[in-house]
Amino acid sequence: MATVNFSVPQDIKEAFDKTFARQNKSAVLADLMRQAVEERRRRKRVAKAIDKILILRKRMRPIADRTFSAARRQGRP
């Protein structure tokens, strides 16, 4: 196991201690860090996906409104 050392505002520390009283704070912090890492990775994947979609959209030819409307209606009851 690694040890981390960082400073946080006193009010945050107090709120954390109160909220997670009687819990293994190291485990809670490890879980929160794990969630933060996954969230950052998810955001990067989303950004890459959006970039790819935008690149594809630039390559596509525009379609007429009439064609778009017909495609939306197709297969609807």
Side-chain angles (χ1 to χ4, degrees):
M1 287 248 172
T3 299
V4 294
N5 185 11
F6 50 88
S7 299
V8 295
Q10 186 64 33
D11 61 325
I12 297 296
K13 181 192 179 308
E14 290 169 2
F16 179 85
D17 288 341
K18 183 178 178 180
T19 302
F20 296 103
R22 298 184 183 164
Q23 292 184 38
N24 180 337
K25 292 182 182 65
S26 293
V28 172
L29 284 171
D31 188 46
L32 292 170
M33 291 172 76
R34 200 174 290 115
Q35 289 176 26
V37 168
E38 181 52 40
E39 175 64 17
R40 177 63 58 94
R41 288 177 178 164
R42 187 190 68 76
R43 286 183 185 176
K44 285 184 178 184
R45 287 192 310 268
V46 167
K48 279 185 177 182
I50 290 171
D51 289 344
K52 287 180 181 181
I53 289 169
L54 292 174
I55 288 169
L56 287 173
R57 286 193 68 191
K58 285 181 182 179
R59 293 180 187 166
M60 295 175 66
R61 292 185 359 207
I63 61 170
D65 288 342
R66 175 182 270 175
T67 304
F68 181 76
S69 295
R72 287 188 68 199
R73 287 191 305 272
Q74 189 176 21
R76 289 189 178 180

